[in-house]
């Protein structure tokens, strides 16, 4: 039977210390015991998921360990989970199996890298963020730029062919030239994938408080836009191609897991606060650790709520997601799941945006975002959603 | 408690008039308490102020009538009909209406402040109506009280014999019995005229369940419950369901006789059929001539009201219709704006009146409003044509030769201590005032008269007058005449398109200044768009001010953590919702606050 592809996200909610800009579900672990208990619960959750009829006979084409700081997991723990997934579901040949790793979180990087490589991890997403030590301190990161560079070299030496670097720009007080220096240094690390994320400073984070107290200036959005477009040019000159708003890769080295989010591929999220998209519905796991563990012990999936959008809204959400990618949206791909009327209404709206120069027609019923409007994409998307 | 067989000779119809804040409502409270007209448990300060806005703002907006039974020192029982009136200058028409139902007035003057501008104006109104005036000097308990000076002013300014002035402190309850006796003694009983039934409708209000309720002063004859009455001006017969008096709440009785002040409920459902100023008579035996009515009330200020939610247009119309029943000064007609959609052009007595109506619409009828900039009514003459009246700047004739444009002027009387003559005159000149006269009303105080454009008076003139005189100057004004002025229409263009509801008619010399301020204000209020938005102020085809809202450069979600798409979609939906609440001109979205900003520019 030909089943559609399926992806798996595994959330590891622990870190050594929370970064100054982070409001995601993560916190320092109280003890190693707590981590062990969590890994245990995670394995059980995967087992519970494997009982669901919608996953029967399906295997994963991508797996992504995200966090938190999943590189705090021991090699054994990673192996346990990968083996568990293999046994319960199966992992396709040539599947992409990524893990986020932070410099400074691993005591013996060389050893750890080769062990997890052996365990089945074949792609690393390294949280470099900046290669300026002052900026790293401002962000509350626990490593220096030199640590980060050594970490990347160790990964390559351990045989990882697929290495991705995450960078953050638009920091309080950061100038365009500082940002471009970080970017230049990152390019020399010869990773095959670079993500550049504009800093968001959610309310309640230490960095937001520092800005409120006047310690740091509010980042200048004009400058952030300039930094984005300057980076775009620099990365493309260095041979990276942009394939999504914030993601760049050497040809053929796009993150397949990342693309699942934008291209309506189904994915399961396991772990605390993880999101899933299955059979047209979106779910989210609970974000309280006690509740999470308790539910699983009781033999129930730790999901809360669930959302199944009406067709019109669901279609438009998918279109918005697809427009984040440079491949754009192909309306004809939706004909199986949506009515002719819904699709043609969306087509009319997109044609209207095309006339305003906000999107570009790439073929019959196909559109992509006009590149010069990438940084105001939400203004355009808000014209499509309903 | 109420006996219906009080002799006609023992009826007293009176009103209380005063400058704002001289203590009218407190005095009414004290009289009600002293005569046990209100249950002590039900009593609350400002008892007669029934509207929520009145109680909060501490002002009377609507006049109120109440019947009081009083046993005087001579042993007789008197029936006193008290009509409390509003004090704000916007509502002087309410005062004139209440006076038509009275034989006498208590002219209340603050013992510390003395005679003020509205004291003078109200005095003249009472005099025109041939009413007996009982001077009352209130707040004699204040340390700064100077009753003798006030008496002197009464004699000098108004020519009143102040020997009979009653000294009271409404707050402390001092002198109230003396005042009651003075009412009985000086205010004459209504003239008893048997004749055919004639009652003057001096006010009305709308009750959800009972329909329109007419407040009536009977001058001759009788109206009974169950009979059929005729509204003489409306030419309509109605059966009387109920008549009654205000004691102080509505209390039914068998009949209203000449001299009585009470109410009539006659199943009038359509509120427009009940006209204040109309005469009611007995349909079976009608009077030949109606009573003299009131002169029509002319609104002074106009603005457009639009509900923020366009689905609520009908609700807005119903609410205005109901408010207009209680308020004959409120006029409205449909208006349509290219930007704001369908709404109403409403006329008011002043900005205070406008404020009150807006607040009542929002609070009592739950309609959220966009109000356009207030304007007076201009008179524009195009060469070779009859003058036209313009109460909406969008009606201003364009591309034609305007022969003459006139604007309403008021005659403003300002009473001020002499040390503030300089600043007061400076202010009046600043507001394009034309000096008329100045007289000393006492050794230290003067009365200054100016002719000032109404458009300059309605916004901040009063506040400025108060601040340049440390609160001592007082103001009263009446419409005087239309006079030619150098005026022009100021247009605002957003994204090269004219926004009709932001246009205003201004004095040529202030056009540049106002245009610049509005454009600056709009630049702060209109959000950035995907393209740059030029803002311009123009007089005719001449651009007098320009600003540009730069295009937005960042509105992006960098990352979707772990595939949490829902969070991202909600953000987009919120942006879409925000856009929906705005009004669009071309493809520019203008937030509703922008339309209100004009008023702030006027007030500066």
């Amino acid at each position: 039977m030909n089943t559609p592809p399926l992806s798996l996200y595994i959330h590891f909610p622990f870190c050594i210390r929370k970064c100054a800009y982070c409001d995601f579900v993560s916190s320092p672990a109280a003890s190693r015991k707590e981590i062990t208990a969590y890994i245990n619960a995670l394995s059980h959750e995967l087992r519970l998921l494997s009982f669901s009829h919608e996953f029967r006979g399906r295997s994963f084409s991508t797996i992504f360990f995200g966090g938190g700081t999943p590189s705090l997991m021991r090699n054994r723990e990673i192996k346990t989970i990968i083996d568990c997934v293999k046994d319960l579901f199966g992992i396709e040949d040539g599947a992409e199996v990524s893990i986020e790793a932070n410099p400074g979180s691993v005591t013996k990087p060389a050893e750890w890298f080769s062990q997890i490589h052996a365990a089945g991890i074949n792609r690393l997403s390294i949280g470099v963020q900046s290669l300026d030590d002052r900026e790293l301190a401002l962000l509350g990161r626990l490593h220096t730029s030199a640590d980060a560079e050594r970490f990347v070299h160790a990964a390559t030496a351990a045989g990882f062919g697929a290495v991705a670097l995450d960078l953050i720009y638009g920091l309080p007080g950061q100038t365009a030239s500082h940002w471009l220096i970080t970017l230049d240094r990152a390019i020399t690390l010869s990773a095959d994938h670079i993500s550049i994320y504009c800093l968001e400073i959610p309310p309640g984070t230490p960095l937001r408080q520092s800005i409120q107290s006047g310690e740091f200036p509010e980042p200048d959005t004009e400058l952030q836009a300039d930094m984005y477009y300057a980076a775009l040019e620099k990365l493309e000159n260095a041979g990276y191609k942009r394939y999504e708003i914030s993601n760049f890769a050497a040809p053929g080295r796009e993150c397949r897991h990342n693309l699942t989010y934008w291209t309506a591929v189904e994915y399961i999220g396991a772990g605390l606060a993880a999101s899933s998209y299955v059979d047209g519905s979106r779910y989210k796991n609970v974000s309280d650790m006690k509740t999470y563990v308790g539910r699983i012990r009781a033999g129930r999936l730790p999901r809360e709520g669930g959302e199944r959008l009406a067709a019109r809204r669901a279609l438009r959400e998918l279109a918005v997601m697809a427009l984040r990618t440079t491949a754009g949206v192909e309306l004809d791909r939706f004909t199986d799941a949506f009515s002719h009327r819904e699709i043609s209404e969306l087509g009319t709206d997109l044609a209207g945006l095309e006339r305003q120069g906000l999107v570009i027609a790439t073929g019959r019923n196909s559109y992509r975002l006009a590149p010069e409007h990438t940084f105001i994409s939400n203004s355009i998307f808000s014209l499509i959603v309903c | 408690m109420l006996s219906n067989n009080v002799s006609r000779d023992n009826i007293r119809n009176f009103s209380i008039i005063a400058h704002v804040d001289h203590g009218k409502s407190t005095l009414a409270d004290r009289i009600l308490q002293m005569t046990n007209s209100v249950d002590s448990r039900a009593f609350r300060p400002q008892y007669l102020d029934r509207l929520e806005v009145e109680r909060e703002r501490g002002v009377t907006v609507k006049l109120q009538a109440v019947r009081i039974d009083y046993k005087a020192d001579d042993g007789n029982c008197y029936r006193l009909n008290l009509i409390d009136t509003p004090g704000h200058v916007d509502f002087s028409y309410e005062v004139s209406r209440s006076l038509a139902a009275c034989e006498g007035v208590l002219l209340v003057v603050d013992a510390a402040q003395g005679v003020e501008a509205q004291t003078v104006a109200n005095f003249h109104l009472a005099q025109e109506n041939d009413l007996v005036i009982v001077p009352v000097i209130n707040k004699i308990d204040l340390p700064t009280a100077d009753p003798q000076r006030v008496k002197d002013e009464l004699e000098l300014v108004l020519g009143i014999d102040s020997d009979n002035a009653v000294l009271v402190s409404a707050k402390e309850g001092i002198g109230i019995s003396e005042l009651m006796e003075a009412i009985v003694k000086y205010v004459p009983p209504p003239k008893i005229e048997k004749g055919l039934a004639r009652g003057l409708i001096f006010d009305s209000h709308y009750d959800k369940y009972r329909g329109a309720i007419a407040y009536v002063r009977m001058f001759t004859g009788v109206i009974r419950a169950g009979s059929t009455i005729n509204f003489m001006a409306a030419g309509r017969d109605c059966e009387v369901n109920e008549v009654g008096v205000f004691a102080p709440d509505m209390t039914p009785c068998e009949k209203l006789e000449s001299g009585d002040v009470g109410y009539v409920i006659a199943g009038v459902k359509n509120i427009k059929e009940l006209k204040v100023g109309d005469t009611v008579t007995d349909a079976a035996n009608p009077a030949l001539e109606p009573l003299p009515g009131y002169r029509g009330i002319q609104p002074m200020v106009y603005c457009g009201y639009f509900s923020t939610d366009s689905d609520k247009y009908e609700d807005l119309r119903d609410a205005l219709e109901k408010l207009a029943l209680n308020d004959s000064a409120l006029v409205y007609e449909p208006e349509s704006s290219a930007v704001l959609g369908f709404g109403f052009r409403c006329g008011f007595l002043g900005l205070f009146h406008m404020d009150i109506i807006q607040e009542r619409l929002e609070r009592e009828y739950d309609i959220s409003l966009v109000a356009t900039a207030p304007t007076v009514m201009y008179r524009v003459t195009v060469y070779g044509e009859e003058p036209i009246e313009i109460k909406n700047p969008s009606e201003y004739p364009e591309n034609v030769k305007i022969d003459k444009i006139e604007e309403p002027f008021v005659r403003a009387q300002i009473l001020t201590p002499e040390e503030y003559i300089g600043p007061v005159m400076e202010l009046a000149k600043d507001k394009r005032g034309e000096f008329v006269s100045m007289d000393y009303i006492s050794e230290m105080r003067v009365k200054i008269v100016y002719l000032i454009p109404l458009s300059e008076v309605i916004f901040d003139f009063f506040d400025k007058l108060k601040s340049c005189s440390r609160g001592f100057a007082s103001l009263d004004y009446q419409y005087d005449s239309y006079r030619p002025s150098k005026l022009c229409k100021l247009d605002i263009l957003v994204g090269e398109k004219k926004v009709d509801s932001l246009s205003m008619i201004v004095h040529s010399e202030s056009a540049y200044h106002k245009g610049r301020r509005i454009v600056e204000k709009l630049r702060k209020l209109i959000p950035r768009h995907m393209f740059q938005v030029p803002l311009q102020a123009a007089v005719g085809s001449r651009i007098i001010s320009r600003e540009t809202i730069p295009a937005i450069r960042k509105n992006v979600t960098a990352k979707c953590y772990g595939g949490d798409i829902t969070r991202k979609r909600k953000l987009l939906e919120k942006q879409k919702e925000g856009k929906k609440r705005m009004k669009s001109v071309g493809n520019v979205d203008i937030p509703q606050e922008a339309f209100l900003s004009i008023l702030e520019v006027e007030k500066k």
Side-chain angles (χ1 to χ4, degrees), chain A residues 35-275:
Chain A
I35 294 180
T36 311
Y38 180 74
I39 302 282
N40 228 327
L42 202 53
S43 316
H44 275 96
E45 188 190 356
L46 289 167
R47 188 172 306 276
L48 290 170
L49 286 165
S50 72
F51 297 153
S52 304
H53 68 277
E54 64 243 71
F55 306 129
R56 193 148 301 151
R58 292 177 70 177
S59 54
F60 294 112
S61 52
T62 76
I63 300 174
F64 194 98
F65 288 84
T69 307
S71 48
L72 290 177
M73 290 166 92
R74 289 182 176 155
N75 145 54
R76 243 186 354 297
E77 292 163 339
I78 294 169
K79 188 168 164 27
T80 305
I81 289 174
I82 291 178
D83 289 347
C84 181
V85 172
K86 255 187 216 156
D87 292 348
L88 295 168
F89 297 86
I91 299 174
E92 285 175 15
D93 288 345
E96 176 193 279
V97 185
S98 313
I99 189 167
E100 286 179 345
N102 279 341
S105 65
V106 182
T107 346
K108 293 176 185 160
E111 202 176 306
W112 186 77
F113 281 135
S114 53
Q115 284 167 343
I116 63 168
H117 198 238
I121 302 278
N122 54 25
R123 185 173 179 279
L124 290 171
S125 173
I126 298 176
V128 174
Q129 316 310 4
S130 168
L131 290 166
D132 179 307
D133 289 343
R134 278 217 326 258
E135 290 171 9
L136 288 167
L138 180 148
L139 292 170
R141 302 291 293 181
L142 293 166
H143 56 90
T144 63
S145 56
D147 292 339
E149 284 164 338
R150 274 196 298 273
F151 197 65
V152 175
H153 292 314
T156 319
F160 277 98
V163 175
L165 310 181
D166 281 2
L167 301 173
I168 296 179
Y169 64 95
L171 277 53
Q174 186 186 36
T175 62
S177 60
H178 273 103
W179 160 235
L180 293 177
I181 291 169
T182 281
L183 199 56
D184 276 328
R185 284 177 63 180
I187 288 167
T188 61
L189 292 172
S190 312
D192 61 350
H193 187 287
I194 294 181
S195 302
I196 56 165
Y197 295 118
C198 188
L199 179 65
E200 283 173 22
I201 311 170
T205 57
L207 190 52
R208 173 54 61 200
Q209 283 158 10
S210 304
I211 288 173
Q212 274 158 357
S213 73
E215 189 188 342
F216 297 122
E218 179 76 46
D220 175 356
T221 56
E222 296 288 315
L223 189 56
Q224 287 177 329
D226 291 341
M227 287 177 176
Y228 175 77
Y229 291 111
L232 202 147
E233 198 184 328
K234 193 176 269 295
L235 286 167
E236 303 225 320
N237 286 339
Y240 295 94
K241 242 180 104 55
R242 185 173 71 86
Y243 68 96
E244 194 265 350
I245 292 176
S246 308
N247 288 291
F248 297 74
R253 309 311 299 250
E254 295 85 6
C255 174
R256 281 155 53 200
H257 184 83
N258 219 333
L259 280 170
T260 63
Y261 298 146
W262 318 127
T263 51
V265 170
E266 294 187 316
Y267 52 90
I268 304 174
L272 197 65
S275 305

Side-chain angles (χ1 to χ4, degrees), chain B residues 10 49 175 240 432 440 555 597:
Chain B
N10 291 357
D49 292 345
V240 178
R432 303 191 277 130
Y440 274 82
N555 183 14
S597 68

